[in-house]
């Protein structure tokens, strides 16, 4: 009988810390490489694992490269291939490793396994929703200064380009590979993860939607780099422990930025270069900026700065005592290098604090409306999610965020006051009370939902119900179980129209005829996502929720007259008639897994019959803000009628700001 | 139809309603002489006239120019070399005209070194784009190819034979049009290449209108208005083979970014003799495993080598960005003219399709009008007519405040001029929105609204003509505006008094 060994828990893989540029400079040479501990999983060459498949075809060069076998004993023995720009197999290893770290962050924060967005398509026979197990990564897909996530292909495409500039930061003829930038990888995979949670965040219906996608991806990339102790300690030394002056940790994509001639990193959450003098200076919060900045990246940059400055506030507060001790309570630090022990302690605080902010941001995405996200919604999401996780706010992170957002002019719309409490989304009790439901009706509704959910479970032999899963489960099975319970909610909402109304849905007449209806003027409701979140709060309690997103659709027309005509006529509209654009509204709601009580209700700005909201979306789509356009298009879906689909929303975004 | 003869101290600006593009006839009063006729541009996007009432033919339009001018164009101004500004200038239509003089931007100058360099760059990019187009032609139907064709149409004037145009862009429809005007003008008073900062008399005599030249800027960087930091990519020979442009060039060997030992196989995979299992399993060749209907697939997991996940042509999509940059580069070579009427000092503002890069350069100059010098801000403040740049698109009319340091919409029409200020948008909106993938938003609603606000509703758009009076506007002002406009199927006239 042979000895059976348990598989190891981690696989160590070496990567460039930020990107190869740190290895070009003497001062940063020691920081250029880090080792990542990746959860062990079975890998085949590619690498191809449970979540990712790296496929290295390079159509621009007309070749494909050998896939790396990370199980090869020589590679395992050396903790992966050593960082190299000239070895495409190292590139494959690096995109895999950094993407896996990012995925893990998500799973930890959200308390469930990560899914990529489903492959949705249709033909004459009907609609298909298919499970996509692996995000595909093409490390050498493009010959341009770009990298993007393709929602259509469920793939990340990275570009490479030759440097053409000659200056102190660049050598002409050298190559820049975007797949070797830690930030770019983390940023792109975050786009994909966010798309897996909120596929409708691809549909811009206000200037914040795409900006949010960009900002969120940047935030994840930024906070993730605080988990590299060597870099963190070095930068704490450089900034005298404050992280408030120019430093690598607030920047994104250094090599890319320099190679594209910016004289700086691609983005910087903390400061900016004066275009005239080239001097770095700290950004000063400007509440007016949000009202005149429309490009997705620059607008997203406002959100990134708001969160990052809040992070610094909390970090400062957490380390005040250390600085007092180190300065002998004078507030003046000694004029030599900070003590290594102090650096050590500061690094621990900074890393924990960054981790806290990262988790806080990621957790918040469950607490967002299903469509039409705004920065203000995100703020409310952060506050509500964090309240669930950490009711006391003992480190003041929520107040710091609230204050910082205010300084940058980010307000949720339609709120009377801006205290922390008023930012919470509506609780289930409030919503039920407002809807005037008696406790009897409410408990009937809960009971009915329970029966429906149980019958689903029975159908699946009782084994594979929506709750029977953990991080070890087969993701395809979990995915299909969740897909199975969606109809239960759907039927439930029709049976309890008052609950549906309380959830921002429109079921009772009069309903504008442009709202999509199933049959006989019964407005359609789409349960477009059911998720389960299992979380352990800071106090050690478990909170398990079912998160459900429901939306309704309405045909929107660019011409107001046409809209009025269609809505006034009262005549039924053919299902084939699609209008010029789709207007969606609905809500996200949380149910406690055990009691099935409504915990939170997160509605869109209006209901599907809200003409004011429809007009707002219409104006936005027809170029009202001149947001992120070019001389020809406003880069918006302007007509579904013509079958126009935005080709690669994120590719365009990444090219746009140049 | 008849001769266009302005009364004493009057100028008439005729915007032709020929399609999506520019064609403006200006008639200036001259004492004891026939009026002085200036034609600014003559082109349109093919098919755009189908969206106009009466689907005007270009021959009818040019016949109208003939009748209105008696066959003499005292000055032909070609702002820049784009289809929608020049493509209708053909020998059959214009050979009969007497073209006294032609104005071009300095960027057309045959020997100016900077102009030559710019033209070389633009030509390089254009050739690269036609190469991409050829690459995509092999693939069949393709979104990017269609989008490119629209852009190539603008640059070349005609896309009926792109492979021919690629081999020699000098023979493009646009080039031929430019050449025709040059040749005809050369027989008479000749061609003038204008530089920013210059002031020219429109015709002889101290009482003639004078024209300030605001653009195109001579600075290379501003002119390109391309990513000012990373624009050199296509102009270096070193390692060019590693860029997109290098890879599509059939005359050049595609350079590889990595050592050959890492290469598993060449693409496309289906032409491989020794197939590589990994790629066949995870990328695939030809059709995916089996074709199932959506209903059969619903709820299942996707296959490992689905066709829709491949990326064989994605890298070529970057070319549309390149095309956009080229387009912007050419737009910014637009001749930007401010025509100042002698008595009242009113200014007619014709910026071609100048975009941001050109706009921000205008205040670099002051203009010597002999007795007095004027700044750009003063000339704009005196404007009573603004020919809206680039069909009212994003970034071709700058938004801003009066105190901003760069020229913008709010600089126009100060004081008394405000009540007279009128904008003309040469755009066919319905056609532009019909451009597939993605539609062109011309004019951009945000800009149109800003113009309507600025002009008090006096926006003459090519397709819709004379607008309705906005409620808030005083009747007197509106009546004056209406009394000075005349709408016809083929054109809209605006009369401007200079007394």
């Amino acid at each position: 009988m042979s000895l059976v060994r348990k598989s190891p828990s981690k696989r160590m893989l070496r990567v460039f810390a930020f990107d190869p540029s740190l290895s070009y400079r003497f001062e940063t040479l020691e920081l250029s490489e880090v080792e990542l501990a990746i959860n062990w999983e079975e890998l085949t060459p590619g690498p191809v694992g449970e979540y990712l498949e790296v496929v290295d075809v390079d159509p621009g060069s007309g070749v494909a490269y050998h896939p790396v076998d990370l199980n090869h004993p020589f590679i395992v023995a050396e903790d992966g291939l050593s960082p190299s720009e000239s070895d495409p197999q190292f590139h494959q290893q690096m995109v895999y490793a950094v993407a896996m770290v990012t995925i893990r962050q998500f799973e930890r924060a959200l308390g469930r396994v990560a899914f990529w967005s489903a492959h949705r398509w249709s033909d004459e026979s009907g609609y298909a929703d298919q499970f996509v197990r692996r995000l595909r990564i093409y490390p050498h897909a493009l010959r341009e200064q770009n990298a993007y996530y393709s929602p259509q292909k469920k793939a990340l495409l990275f570009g490479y380009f030759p440097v053409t500039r000659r200056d102190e930061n660049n050598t002409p003829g050298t190559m820049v590979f975007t797949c070797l930038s830690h930030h770019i990888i983390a940023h792109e995979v975050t786009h994909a993860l966010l798309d897996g949670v909120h596929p409708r965040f691809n549909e811009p219906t206000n200037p914040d939607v795409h900006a949010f996608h960009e900002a969120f991806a940047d935030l994840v990339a930024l906070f993730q780099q605080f988990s590299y102790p060597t870099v963190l300690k070095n930068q704490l030394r450089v900034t005298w422990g404050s992280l408030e002056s120019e430093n690598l940790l607030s920047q994104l994509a250094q090599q890319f930025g320099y190679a594209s001639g910016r004289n700086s990193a691609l983005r910087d959450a903390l400061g900016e270069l004066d275009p005239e003098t080239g001097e770095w200076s700290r950004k000063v919060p400007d509440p007016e900026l949000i009202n005149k900045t429309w490009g997705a990246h620059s607008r997203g940059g406002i959100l990134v700065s708001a969160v990052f400055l809040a992070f610094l506030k909390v970090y400062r507060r957490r380390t005040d005592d250390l600085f007092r001790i180190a300065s002998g309570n004078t507030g003046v630090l000694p004029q030599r290098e900070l003590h290594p022990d102090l650096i050590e302690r500061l690094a621990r605080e900074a890393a924990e604090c960054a981790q806290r902010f990262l988790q806080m941001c990621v957790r918040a995405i469950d607490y967002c409306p299903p469509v039409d996200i705004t920065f203000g919604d995100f703020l409310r999401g952060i506050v509500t999610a964090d309240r669930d996780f950490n009711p006391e706010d003992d480190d003041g992170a929520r107040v710091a965020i609230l204050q910082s957002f205010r300084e940058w002019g980010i307000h949720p719309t339609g709120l009377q006051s801006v205290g922390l409490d008023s930012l919470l989304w509506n609780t289930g009790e409030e919503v039920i009370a407002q809807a005037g439901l008696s406790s009897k009706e409410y408990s009937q509704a809960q009971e009915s939902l329970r029966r429906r959910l149980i019958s689903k479970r029975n159908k699946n032999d009782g084994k594979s119900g929506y709750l029977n899963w953990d991080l070890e489960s087969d993701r395809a099975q979990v995915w299909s179980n969740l897909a199975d319970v969606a109809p239960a909610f759907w039927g439930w909402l029709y049976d309890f129209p008052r609950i549906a109304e309380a959830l921002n849905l429109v079921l009772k007449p009069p309903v504008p005829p442009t709202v999509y209806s199933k049959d006989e003027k019964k407005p359609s409701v789409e349960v477009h996502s059911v998720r389960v979140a299992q979380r352990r709060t800071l106090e050690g309690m478990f909170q398990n929720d079912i998160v459900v997103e429901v939306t309704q659709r309405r045909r929107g027309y660019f011409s107001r007259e046409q809209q009025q005509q269609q809505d006034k006529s009262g005549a039924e509209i053919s299902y084939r008639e699609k209008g010029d654009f789709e207007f969606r509204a609905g809500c996200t709601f949380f149910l406690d897994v055990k009691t099935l009580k409504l915990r939170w209700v997160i509605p869109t700005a209006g209901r599907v019959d809200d003409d004011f909201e429809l007009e707002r979306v219409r104006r936005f789509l027809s170029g009202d803000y001149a947001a992120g356009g070019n001389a020809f298009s406003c880069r918006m879906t302007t007509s579904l009628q013509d079958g126009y689909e935005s080709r690669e929303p994120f590719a365009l975004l990444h090219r746009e700001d140049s | 139809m008849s001769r266009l003869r302005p009364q004493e101290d009057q100028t008439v600006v005729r915007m032709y309603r020929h399609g999506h593009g520019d064609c403006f006839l200006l008639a200036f009063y001259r004492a004891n002489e026939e009026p002085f006729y200036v034609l600014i541009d003559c082109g349109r996007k093919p098919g755009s006239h189908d969206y106009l009432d009466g689907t005007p033919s270009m021959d009818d339009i040019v016949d109208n120019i003939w009748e209105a001018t008696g066959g003499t164009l005292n000055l032909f101004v070609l702002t820049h070399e784009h289809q929608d500004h020049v493509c209708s200038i053909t020998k059959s239509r214009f050979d009969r005209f007497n073209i006294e003089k032609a104005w071009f931007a300095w960027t057309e100058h045959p020997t100016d070194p900077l102009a030559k360099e710019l033209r070389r760059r633009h030509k390089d990019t254009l050739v690269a784009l036609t190469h991409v187009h050829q690459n995509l032609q092999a693939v069949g139907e393709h979104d990017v190819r269609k989008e490119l064709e629209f852009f190539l149409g603008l640059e070349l004037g005609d896309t009926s034979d792109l492979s021919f145009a690629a081999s020699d862009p000098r023979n493009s429809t646009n080039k031929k049009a430019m050449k025709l005007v040059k040749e005809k003008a050369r027989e008479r008073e000749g061609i003038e290449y204008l530089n920013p900062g210059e002031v020219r008399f429109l015709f002889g005599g101290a009482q003639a209108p004078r024209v300030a030249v605001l653009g195109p800027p001579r600075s290379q960087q501003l002119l390109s208005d391309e990513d000012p930091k990373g624009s050199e990519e296509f102009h270096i020979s070193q390692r060019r083979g590693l860029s997109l442009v290098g890879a599509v060039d059939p005359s050049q060997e595609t350079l590889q970014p990595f050592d050959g030992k890492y290469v598993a196989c060449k693409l496309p995979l289906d032409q491989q003799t020794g197939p590589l299992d990994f790629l066949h399993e995870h990328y695939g060749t030809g059709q995916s495993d089996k074709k199932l209907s959506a209903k059969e697939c619903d709820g299942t997991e996707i296959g490992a080598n689905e066709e829709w996940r491949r990326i064989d042509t994605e890298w070529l999509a970057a070319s549309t960005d390149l095309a956009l940059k080229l387009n912007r580069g050419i737009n910014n070579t637009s001749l930007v003219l401010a025509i100042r009427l002698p008595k009242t000092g009113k200014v007619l503002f014709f910026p071609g399709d100048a975009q941001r890069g050109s706009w921000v350069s205008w205040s670099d100059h002051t203009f010597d009008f002999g007795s007095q010098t004027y700044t750009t801000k003063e000339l704009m403040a005196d404007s009573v007519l603004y020919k809206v740049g680039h069909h009212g698109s994003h970034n071709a009319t700058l938004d801003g405040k009066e105190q901003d340091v760069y020229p913008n919409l709010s600089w126009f029409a100060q004081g008394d001029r405000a009540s007279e200020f009128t904008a003309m948008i040469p755009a066919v909106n319905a056609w532009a929105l019909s451009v597939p993938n993605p539609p062109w938003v011309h004019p951009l609603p945000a800009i149109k609204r800003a113009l309507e606000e600025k002009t008090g509703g006096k926006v003459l758009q090519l397709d819709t003509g004379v607008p309705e009076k906005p409620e808030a506007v005083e009747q007197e002002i509106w009546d004056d505006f209406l009394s000075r406009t005349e709408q016809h199927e083929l054109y809209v006239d605006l009369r401007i008094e200079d007394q």
Side-chain angles (χ1 to χ4, degrees), chain A residues 61-62 64 66 123 125 129-131 133-134 136 138 143 153-154 165 173 260 622 624 631-632 638 644 647, chain B residues 147 229 239 241 255-256 262 264-265 267 282 294-295 298-301 304 309-310 437 439 441-442 445 449:
Chain A
S61 304
H66 284 294
D123 61 15
S125 72
D129 251 16
Q130 286 190 277
F131 175 64
R133 186 182 295 275
R134 299 180 186 93
R136 188 172 286 182
Y138 294 111
R143 288 189 160 204
K153 294 187 185 295
K154 316 293 173 197
R165 309 180 60 78
S260 50
S622 48
D624 207 52
F632 292 95
T638 50
Y644 173 70
R647 209 166 33 228
Chain B
E147 197 178 340
K229 306 120 191 170
R239 310 273 277 180
L255 290 181
Q256 303 285 329
Y262 295 113
C265 63
L267 298 176
H282 294 281
K295 206 173 168 189
D298 191 30
T300 64
E301 182 171 346
R309 300 188 86 179
R310 291 179 208 149
N437 280 343
V441 188
H442 290 168
R449 211 175 40 251

Side-chain angles (χ1 to χ4, degrees), chain A residues 317-446:
Chain A
R317 180 166 149 178
R318 285 172 67 136
T319 52
D320 262 354
D321 54 348
L322 293 172
F323 282 108
R324 275 194 302 274
I325 296 168
S327 66
N329 211 13
T330 60
V332 185
L333 289 171
Q335 288 297 312
R336 39 197 152 75
E337 253 192 20
L338 294 185
H339 194 285
D341 289 352
L342 178 60
I343 295 283
E344 196 72 37
R345 285 284 293 110
L346 290 173
R348 203 184 310 159
E349 291 295 336
E352 271 175 25
C353 191
Q355 186 62 24
R356 164 117 170 80
F357 268 74
L358 174 56
Q359 299 274 311
M360 193 153 82
C361 288
V362 175
R363 225 180 283 122
I365 63 172
D366 265 351
Y367 296 71
C368 286
V371 294
D372 196 38
I373 175 126
T374 63
F375 291 175
D377 291 338
F378 183 56
L379 173 61
R380 298 186 72 180
I382 290 179
V383 170
T384 311
D386 199 58
R387 158 81 175 248
D388 263 355
F389 172 75
N390 173 20
E392 298 302 326
D393 193 26
D394 31 25
D395 55 0
R398 293 207 284 277
V399 178
I401 288 215
L402 174 61
Q403 184 188 346
S404 190
F405 273 50
R406 194 167 50 227
E407 285 167 2
W408 286 94
I410 303 171
H411 301 290
T413 45
L415 283 189
Q416 302 297 334
S417 74
V418 286
L420 268 182
D421 282 349
S422 59
L423 284 176
L424 292 174
W425 288 112
N426 310 326
T427 62
E429 289 89 26
E430 283 166 359
V431 170
I432 293 298
Q434 268 165 24
L437 255 83
S438 69
S439 58
K440 194 178 160 203
E441 283 172 291
Y442 188 30
S443 49
Q444 271 174 356
Q446 280 161 258

Side-chain angles (χ1 to χ4, degrees), chain A residues 35 96 137 309 332 377 423 472:
Chain A
E35 218 170 78
Y96 167 75
I137 301 184
L309 295 187
V332 185
D377 291 338
L423 284 176
E472 303 294 309

Side-chain angles (χ1 to χ4, degrees), chain B residues 209-251:
Chain B
R210 279 184 272 194
V211 184
V213 183
L214 286 79
R218 277 205 71 94
S219 144
Q220 195 161 336
Q221 208 172 35
L222 278 176
L223 198 55
S224 55
D225 191 23
E226 291 150 20
D227 174 1
K229 306 120 191 170
S231 57
E232 293 141 77
E233 186 170 347
F234 310 103
H235 316 297
I236 47 146
S237 48
Q238 190 191 20
R239 310 273 277 180
R240 186 174 180 266
L242 277 163
S243 67
L244 180 146
V245 173
V248 293
D249 186 347
S251 69

Side-chain angles (χ1 to χ4, degrees), chain A residues 618-626 634, chain B residues 392-394 429 433 441-452:
Chain A
R618 173 186 298 125
R619 286 177 53 174
F620 174 76
L621 290 178
S622 48
D624 207 52
Y625 292 85
C634 14
Chain B
S393 85
H394 182 68
N429 181 249
L433 285 173
V441 188
H442 290 168
L444 190 71
I447 287 181
K448 179 150 186 200
R449 211 175 40 251
L451 288 166
E452 281 169 344

